[in-house]
Short mmCIF file of all heavy atoms in Angstrom, two decimals:
data_model
loop_
_atom_site.label_atom_id
_atom_site.label_comp_id
_atom_site.label_asym_id
_atom_site.label_seq_id
_atom_site.Cartn_x
_atom_site.Cartn_y
_atom_site.Cartn_z
N GLN A 12 -58.94 -36.45 -19.94
CA GLN A 12 -58.57 -36.69 -21.33
C GLN A 12 -57.41 -35.77 -21.69
O GLN A 12 -57.56 -34.54 -21.67
CB GLN A 12 -59.75 -36.46 -22.26
CG GLN A 12 -59.47 -36.87 -23.70
CD GLN A 12 -60.73 -36.95 -24.53
OE1 GLN A 12 -61.79 -36.43 -24.16
NE2 GLN A 12 -60.66 -37.64 -25.65
N ALA A 13 -56.28 -36.38 -22.02
CA ALA A 13 -55.12 -35.63 -22.48
C ALA A 13 -55.18 -35.49 -23.99
O ALA A 13 -55.89 -36.27 -24.66
CB ALA A 13 -53.85 -36.34 -22.04
N PRO A 14 -54.46 -34.54 -24.54
CA PRO A 14 -54.48 -34.36 -26.00
C PRO A 14 -54.12 -35.64 -26.74
O PRO A 14 -53.16 -36.33 -26.37
CB PRO A 14 -53.42 -33.27 -26.24
CG PRO A 14 -53.41 -32.50 -24.96
CD PRO A 14 -53.63 -33.52 -23.88
N GLU A 15 -54.92 -35.98 -27.73
CA GLU A 15 -54.70 -37.14 -28.59
C GLU A 15 -54.78 -38.46 -27.83
O GLU A 15 -54.28 -39.48 -28.31
CB GLU A 15 -53.38 -37.02 -29.33
CG GLU A 15 -53.28 -35.77 -30.21
CD GLU A 15 -51.99 -35.68 -30.98
OE1 GLU A 15 -51.14 -36.56 -30.80
OE2 GLU A 15 -51.85 -34.73 -31.76
N LYS A 16 -55.39 -38.45 -26.68
CA LYS A 16 -55.60 -39.69 -25.92
C LYS A 16 -57.07 -39.87 -25.61
O LYS A 16 -57.85 -38.92 -25.65
CB LYS A 16 -54.78 -39.67 -24.62
CG LYS A 16 -53.29 -39.74 -24.83
CD LYS A 16 -52.57 -39.92 -23.51
CE LYS A 16 -51.07 -40.09 -23.71
NZ LYS A 16 -50.36 -40.29 -22.42
N GLU A 17 -57.43 -41.11 -25.29
CA GLU A 17 -58.82 -41.39 -24.94
C GLU A 17 -59.11 -40.93 -23.50
O GLU A 17 -58.21 -40.85 -22.67
CB GLU A 17 -59.11 -42.89 -25.09
CG GLU A 17 -59.04 -43.38 -26.51
CD GLU A 17 -59.49 -44.83 -26.65
OE1 GLU A 17 -59.75 -45.47 -25.61
OE2 GLU A 17 -59.59 -45.31 -27.79
N ARG A 18 -60.39 -40.68 -23.26
CA ARG A 18 -60.80 -40.33 -21.91
C ARG A 18 -60.60 -41.54 -21.00
O ARG A 18 -60.95 -42.66 -21.36
CB ARG A 18 -62.26 -39.88 -21.89
CG ARG A 18 -62.72 -39.25 -20.60
CD ARG A 18 -64.11 -38.66 -20.73
NE ARG A 18 -64.16 -37.57 -21.70
CZ ARG A 18 -65.22 -36.79 -21.88
NH1 ARG A 18 -66.31 -36.98 -21.14
NH2 ARG A 18 -65.20 -35.84 -22.78
N GLU A 19 -60.06 -41.30 -19.81
CA GLU A 19 -59.78 -42.40 -18.90
C GLU A 19 -60.31 -42.09 -17.50
O GLU A 19 -60.40 -40.93 -17.08
CB GLU A 19 -58.27 -42.67 -18.81
CG GLU A 19 -57.45 -41.52 -18.26
CD GLU A 19 -55.99 -41.87 -18.10
OE1 GLU A 19 -55.57 -42.98 -18.48
OE2 GLU A 19 -55.24 -41.02 -17.58
N LEU A 20 -60.62 -43.16 -16.79
CA LEU A 20 -61.11 -43.04 -15.42
C LEU A 20 -59.98 -42.58 -14.52
O LEU A 20 -58.84 -43.04 -14.64
CB LEU A 20 -61.64 -44.38 -14.94
CG LEU A 20 -62.17 -44.46 -13.51
CD1 LEU A 20 -63.33 -45.46 -13.44
CD2 LEU A 20 -61.09 -44.88 -12.53
N VAL A 21 -60.30 -41.66 -13.61
CA VAL A 21 -59.36 -41.22 -12.59
C VAL A 21 -59.79 -41.78 -11.24
O VAL A 21 -59.01 -42.44 -10.55
CB VAL A 21 -59.28 -39.68 -12.52
CG1 VAL A 21 -58.36 -39.24 -11.39
CG2 VAL A 21 -58.81 -39.11 -13.86
N ALA A 22 -61.04 -41.50 -10.85
CA ALA A 22 -61.52 -41.96 -9.55
C ALA A 22 -63.04 -41.94 -9.54
O ALA A 22 -63.65 -41.07 -10.17
CB ALA A 22 -60.99 -41.08 -8.42
N THR A 23 -63.64 -42.90 -8.83
CA THR A 23 -65.09 -42.91 -8.67
C THR A 23 -65.44 -43.17 -7.21
O THR A 23 -64.65 -43.75 -6.44
CB THR A 23 -65.75 -43.99 -9.54
OG1 THR A 23 -65.24 -45.27 -9.18
CG2 THR A 23 -65.53 -43.72 -11.02
N LEU A 24 -66.65 -42.74 -6.85
CA LEU A 24 -67.16 -42.89 -5.48
C LEU A 24 -68.63 -43.24 -5.56
O LEU A 24 -69.40 -42.51 -6.21
CB LEU A 24 -66.96 -41.58 -4.71
CG LEU A 24 -67.56 -41.47 -3.32
CD1 LEU A 24 -66.91 -42.47 -2.37
CD2 LEU A 24 -67.40 -40.04 -2.78
N THR A 25 -69.03 -44.34 -4.94
CA THR A 25 -70.43 -44.74 -4.98
C THR A 25 -71.16 -44.24 -3.73
O THR A 25 -70.55 -43.80 -2.76
CB THR A 25 -70.57 -46.26 -5.04
OG1 THR A 25 -70.19 -46.82 -3.78
CG2 THR A 25 -69.72 -46.86 -6.15
N THR A 26 -72.50 -44.35 -3.77
CA THR A 26 -73.29 -43.94 -2.61
C THR A 26 -72.99 -44.83 -1.42
O THR A 26 -73.24 -44.43 -0.28
CB THR A 26 -74.78 -43.99 -2.93
OG1 THR A 26 -75.12 -45.27 -3.47
CG2 THR A 26 -75.15 -42.90 -3.94
N GLY A 27 -72.46 -46.02 -1.67
CA GLY A 27 -72.06 -46.90 -0.58
C GLY A 27 -70.65 -46.65 -0.10
O GLY A 27 -70.10 -47.45 0.67
N ASP A 28 -70.04 -45.56 -0.56
CA ASP A 28 -68.70 -45.14 -0.16
C ASP A 28 -67.58 -46.03 -0.70
O ASP A 28 -66.46 -46.00 -0.17
CB ASP A 28 -68.57 -45.03 1.36
CG ASP A 28 -69.34 -43.85 1.92
OD1 ASP A 28 -69.53 -42.87 1.18
OD2 ASP A 28 -69.77 -43.93 3.08
N SER A 29 -67.86 -46.80 -1.72
CA SER A 29 -66.79 -47.55 -2.38
C SER A 29 -66.04 -46.61 -3.32
O SER A 29 -66.66 -45.83 -4.04
CB SER A 29 -67.38 -48.72 -3.17
OG SER A 29 -67.95 -49.66 -2.31
N THR A 30 -64.73 -46.72 -3.32
CA THR A 30 -63.92 -45.90 -4.20
C THR A 30 -63.11 -46.78 -5.15
O THR A 30 -62.81 -47.93 -4.86
CB THR A 30 -62.94 -45.01 -3.40
OG1 THR A 30 -62.13 -45.85 -2.57
CG2 THR A 30 -63.69 -44.01 -2.55
N ASN A 31 -62.79 -46.18 -6.28
CA ASN A 31 -61.96 -46.85 -7.27
C ASN A 31 -61.03 -45.81 -7.88
O ASN A 31 -61.49 -44.71 -8.24
CB ASN A 31 -62.83 -47.48 -8.35
CG ASN A 31 -62.03 -48.27 -9.36
OD1 ASN A 31 -61.05 -48.93 -9.01
ND2 ASN A 31 -62.42 -48.22 -10.62
N TYR A 32 -59.76 -46.13 -7.96
CA TYR A 32 -58.78 -45.19 -8.49
C TYR A 32 -57.98 -45.84 -9.62
O TYR A 32 -57.68 -47.04 -9.57
CB TYR A 32 -57.79 -44.76 -7.41
CG TYR A 32 -58.38 -43.93 -6.30
CD1 TYR A 32 -58.84 -44.53 -5.13
CD2 TYR A 32 -58.47 -42.55 -6.41
CE1 TYR A 32 -59.38 -43.77 -4.10
CE2 TYR A 32 -59.00 -41.78 -5.39
CZ TYR A 32 -59.46 -42.39 -4.24
OH TYR A 32 -59.98 -41.63 -3.23
N ALA A 33 -57.59 -45.02 -10.57
CA ALA A 33 -56.64 -45.48 -11.58
C ALA A 33 -55.31 -45.75 -10.89
O ALA A 33 -54.94 -45.04 -9.94
CB ALA A 33 -56.47 -44.42 -12.66
N ASP A 34 -54.60 -46.76 -11.35
CA ASP A 34 -53.31 -47.10 -10.74
C ASP A 34 -52.36 -45.91 -10.75
O ASP A 34 -51.57 -45.73 -9.83
CB ASP A 34 -52.67 -48.28 -11.48
CG ASP A 34 -53.38 -49.59 -11.19
OD1 ASP A 34 -54.14 -49.67 -10.21
OD2 ASP A 34 -53.19 -50.54 -11.96
N SER A 35 -52.44 -45.11 -11.78
CA SER A 35 -51.51 -43.99 -11.94
C SER A 35 -51.70 -42.88 -10.91
O SER A 35 -50.82 -42.03 -10.74
CB SER A 35 -51.64 -43.41 -13.35
OG SER A 35 -52.95 -42.94 -13.57
N VAL A 36 -52.85 -42.87 -10.22
CA VAL A 36 -53.11 -41.79 -9.25
C VAL A 36 -53.24 -42.29 -7.82
O VAL A 36 -53.38 -41.49 -6.89
CB VAL A 36 -54.37 -40.99 -9.64
CG1 VAL A 36 -54.27 -40.49 -11.08
CG2 VAL A 36 -55.65 -41.78 -9.41
N LYS A 37 -53.22 -43.61 -7.63
CA LYS A 37 -53.35 -44.16 -6.28
C LYS A 37 -52.27 -43.61 -5.36
O LYS A 37 -51.10 -43.55 -5.73
CB LYS A 37 -53.28 -45.68 -6.32
CG LYS A 37 -54.54 -46.35 -6.83
CD LYS A 37 -54.39 -47.87 -6.85
CE LYS A 37 -55.66 -48.54 -7.35
NZ LYS A 37 -55.52 -50.01 -7.45
N GLY A 38 -52.70 -43.19 -4.17
CA GLY A 38 -51.76 -42.63 -3.20
C GLY A 38 -51.51 -41.14 -3.38
O GLY A 38 -50.91 -40.51 -2.51
N ARG A 39 -51.97 -40.60 -4.50
CA ARG A 39 -51.77 -39.16 -4.75
C ARG A 39 -53.09 -38.40 -4.81
O ARG A 39 -53.15 -37.24 -4.39
CB ARG A 39 -51.02 -38.95 -6.07
CG ARG A 39 -49.66 -39.59 -6.12
CD ARG A 39 -48.89 -39.16 -7.37
NE ARG A 39 -49.54 -39.59 -8.61
CZ ARG A 39 -49.92 -38.76 -9.58
NH1 ARG A 39 -49.70 -37.45 -9.45
NH2 ARG A 39 -50.49 -39.23 -10.68
N PHE A 40 -54.14 -39.02 -5.34
CA PHE A 40 -55.44 -38.36 -5.50
C PHE A 40 -56.44 -38.96 -4.52
O PHE A 40 -56.39 -40.16 -4.21
CB PHE A 40 -55.98 -38.57 -6.91
CG PHE A 40 -55.22 -37.84 -8.00
CD1 PHE A 40 -54.00 -37.22 -7.76
CD2 PHE A 40 -55.74 -37.79 -9.28
CE1 PHE A 40 -53.32 -36.57 -8.78
CE2 PHE A 40 -55.07 -37.14 -10.31
CZ PHE A 40 -53.86 -36.54 -10.04
N THR A 41 -57.37 -38.12 -4.06
CA THR A 41 -58.43 -38.59 -3.17
C THR A 41 -59.75 -37.99 -3.60
O THR A 41 -59.87 -36.78 -3.77
CB THR A 41 -58.15 -38.17 -1.71
OG1 THR A 41 -56.88 -38.69 -1.30
CG2 THR A 41 -59.23 -38.72 -0.78
N ILE A 42 -60.76 -38.86 -3.77
CA ILE A 42 -62.10 -38.41 -4.11
C ILE A 42 -62.93 -38.37 -2.84
O ILE A 42 -62.81 -39.24 -1.97
CB ILE A 42 -62.74 -39.31 -5.18
CG1 ILE A 42 -64.05 -38.72 -5.68
CG2 ILE A 42 -62.92 -40.74 -4.68
CD1 ILE A 42 -64.63 -39.43 -6.90
N SER A 43 -63.77 -37.34 -2.73
CA SER A 43 -64.62 -37.20 -1.54
C SER A 43 -65.86 -36.42 -1.93
O SER A 43 -65.97 -35.91 -3.05
CB SER A 43 -63.87 -36.49 -0.41
OG SER A 43 -63.54 -35.17 -0.79
N ARG A 44 -66.80 -36.31 -0.99
CA ARG A 44 -68.02 -35.56 -1.29
C ARG A 44 -68.48 -34.81 -0.06
O ARG A 44 -68.17 -35.18 1.08
CB ARG A 44 -69.12 -36.49 -1.79
CG ARG A 44 -69.56 -37.53 -0.79
CD ARG A 44 -70.80 -38.30 -1.27
NE ARG A 44 -71.08 -39.39 -0.35
CZ ARG A 44 -71.04 -40.67 -0.69
NH1 ARG A 44 -70.75 -41.02 -1.94
NH2 ARG A 44 -71.31 -41.59 0.19
#
């Protein structure tokens, strides 16, 4: 959440190892556990 903006999804990871990324971070951010 940036100032004066709504909270937005960045990345998620399920127990089945499915990932989802915001378009703005694809190729730059990686979620792992």
Side-chain angles (χ1 to χ4, degrees):
Q12 187 166 17
E15 302 182 357
K16 292 188 176 181
E17 293 187 354
R18 191 172 296 188
E19 63 176 4
L20 179 147
V21 176
T23 60
L24 173 64
T25 71
T26 52
D28 290 333
S29 294
T30 57
N31 183 37
Y32 293 94
D34 288 342
S35 60
V36 307
K37 284 180 180 177
R39 300 189 297 123
F40 291 10
T41 303
I42 189 170
S43 63
R44 62 172 173 243

